[in-house]
Amino acid sequence: MEYGVVYLVLAAAFGLFMAWGIGANDVANAMAPSVGSKVLTIRQAVVVAAIFEFAGAVLAGGEVTATIRSGIVETGALEDSPELLVFGMLAALASAGTWLLIASKRGWPVSTTHSIIGALVGFAIAAVGWSAVQWGVVGTVVASWVVSPVLAGIASFVLFRSVQYLVLDNPDPLRAARLWVPIYIGLTAFVIASVTMVKGLSHLGLELTEAESYGYALAFAAGMWLVGKGLVARISIDPSADRDFHFASVERVFGVLMVVVACAMAFAHGSNDVANAIGPVAAVVSVVTSGGDVGAQAELPLWILLLGGGGIVAGLFMLGHHVIATVGSNITQLTPSRGFACGLATAGTVVFASGFGLPISTTQTLVGAVLGIGLARGIAALNLRVVGGVFMSWLVTLPAGGILAIFFFYLLLLAFGG
């Protein structure tokens, strides 16, 4: 390829930009409940997220999503002109990254998955035509817009109701919290460990059967239950705080659970959503290194994973606080017990959907979970104006990504004399 090295440099730069956008916008999924429930400050949340997002991206982010690589665009139509596929993947990264920058500056929690899919659709239409888009896959993605928030809303509603029934309405809520919070920690550990082991560890050469994955997840959950018991036992109780707010000590116990939920969600998010940035990079690298073979399998060198993890951390430090504020406190008021229900409902919905192969958005899943908590407290607990703004930003993400991709695609064609 005439401009092979240039294409690789651009892929790395645009992939870093896209990963930066994911850090600036999507990482709020993991951290917002902890910040909203005041267990962590925004600064502490950014540090925790940086560590666990990077670990998740590098250790378990190797399974590049087939949908991003070849599920949206009919790559067979581009076999005679591999440069068009390279331009398209570069344009998709640039447009999705640009849209995430705009959304993050305004505090909109948009979906990085939908940003990149919208961009790929736009490029396919511009390069080949409407027939180059696999509309069945796109239809499934659009259906997931409705499915994921509804499932998460139901799950968070049920989880918070269980907290109310088992702990908050108990005659001795503090004793009940000490009993149930370690069990909830074990449940959270099981959900996150199972999704990580089933979905993400093949890149490290750990090919586990489903039974082994769930067995290890159960063992990890039992270990975290014991750790939770130890942490909860060490919490000192302040009787004066309970006079001001009856459940102050109970919420302190739930604070331990909230930190566990935040760390686990950040790791799982880093391992799964990093594919939105590095999938197109891997596609460009495979086309260039294979001398223009569009059908070549995307090898995944470690530097691409490091690029994705590093970009996510950089975006989180620079702009992540805007979206964390929107999801964490502006939609409905969160306490540690409510924040836990949000976090586990989101993670659980992602695990459930993954089992059925549904390409859902973690952003929409979390917002649905937050809405479920608001509904459990009554409709008056929701800030409907903020909710309306969030829904509008969801609706425009797919077309915005597509339109920007068409612009960048023609810009690259012009620049390289296509």
Side-chain angles (χ1 to χ4, degrees):
M1 271 190 161
E2 190 183 351
Y3 296 107
V5 176
V6 178
Y7 296 154
L8 289 176
V9 171
L10 285 175
F14 290 177
L16 189 66
F17 179 46
M18 174 64 181
W20 181 89
I22 292 173
N25 196 289
D26 231 30
V27 176
N29 299 335
M31 289 297 116
S34 306
V35 173
S37 55
K38 296 184 170 57
V39 171
L40 298 174
T41 64
I42 283 194
R43 183 169 292 185
Q44 289 168 332
V46 165
V47 172
V48 168
I51 294 166
F52 284 92
E53 288 274 343
F54 187 78
V58 174
L59 294 177
E63 198 172 294
V64 177
T65 316
T67 308
I68 304 299
R69 171 71 175 90
S70 57
I72 301 296
V73 182
E74 191 64 68
T75 51
L78 296 164
E79 281 180 350
D80 296 332
S81 47
E83 268 97 354
L84 287 184
L85 180 63
V86 170
F87 294 159
M89 291 296 175
L90 292 176
L93 287 170
S95 66
T98 302
W99 175 242
L100 288 172
L101 171 62
I102 294 165
S104 301
K105 288 284 283 183
R106 301 190 69 86
W108 297 338
V110 299
S111 163
T112 55
T113 308
H114 296 154
S115 303
I116 196 75
I117 287 173
L120 289 169
V121 168
F123 134 66
I125 292 169
V128 182
W130 293 82
S131 61
V133 180
Q134 300 196 31
W135 291 108
V137 179
V138 175
T140 308
V141 171
V142 172
S144 78
W145 290 14
V146 179
V147 173
S148 61
V150 169
L151 285 178
I154 293 168
S156 68
F157 184 92
V158 170
L159 275 169
F160 186 60
R161 284 292 192 205
S162 79
V163 171
Q164 287 177 318
Y165 177 74
L166 296 170
V167 178
L168 302 180
D169 294 342
N170 192 290
D172 187 351
L174 184 58
R175 189 175 68 83
R178 287 186 185 279
L179 169 68
W180 284 101
V181 162
I183 294 172
Y184 281 131
I185 286 175
L187 178 64
T188 305
F190 175 74
V191 168
I192 300 298
S194 60
V195 72
T196 303
M197 290 188 183
V198 170
K199 281 194 76 180
L201 293 178
S202 59
H203 169 69
L204 299 179
L206 296 174
E207 295 289 351
L208 302 174
T209 65
E210 210 160 297
E212 286 174 331
S213 295
Y214 287 119
Y216 286 129
L218 274 172
F220 180 64
M224 288 303 294
W225 171 70
L226 289 171
V227 170
K229 279 182 75 74
L231 290 172
V232 165
R234 293 176 60 186
I235 292 175
S236 57
I237 302 306
D238 182 5
S240 62
D242 281 339
R243 282 198 293 273
D244 297 329
F245 172 50
H246 182 53
F247 294 113
S249 297
V250 174
E251 292 293 358
R252 284 192 70 190
V253 176
F254 269 97
V256 175
L257 176 56
M258 217 34 259
V259 175
V260 173
V261 168
C263 295
M265 278 187 68
F267 182 88
H269 178 267
S271 70
N272 289 319
D273 274 38
V274 74
N276 292 331
I278 66 173
V281 178
V284 173
V285 169
S286 77
V287 171
V288 172
T289 54
S290 67
D293 181 3
V294 170
Q297 284 301 306
E299 286 295 318
L300 195 62
L302 183 62
W303 70 264
I304 297 182
L305 281 170
L306 291 169
L307 182 91
I312 286 175
V313 170
L316 175 65
F317 273 108
M318 292 167 72
L319 273 184
H321 56 91
H322 288 292
V323 177
I324 288 176
T326 297
V327 180
S329 54
N330 293 355
I331 292 176
T332 192
Q333 190 182 1
L334 291 177
T335 60
S337 55
R338 294 171 198 156
F340 145 71
C342 282
L344 185 52
T346 302
T349 303
V350 172
V351 175
F352 179 77
S354 299
F356 285 92
L358 273 174
I360 69 169
S361 157
T362 43
T363 309
Q364 290 167 321
T365 307
L366 180 76
V367 172
V370 174
L371 291 175
I373 295 294
L375 290 172
R377 298 173 58 217
I379 195 74
L382 291 173
N383 185 336
L384 293 176
R385 190 161 158 268
V386 174
V387 172
V390 169
F391 273 95
M392 278 304 296
S393 67
W394 287 355
L395 287 175
V396 298
T397 293
L398 205 68
I403 292 163
L404 282 168
I406 292 169
F407 167 75
F408 282 113
F409 177 71
Y410 282 119
L411 200 64
L412 285 163
L413 271 181
L414 201 66
F416 291 97

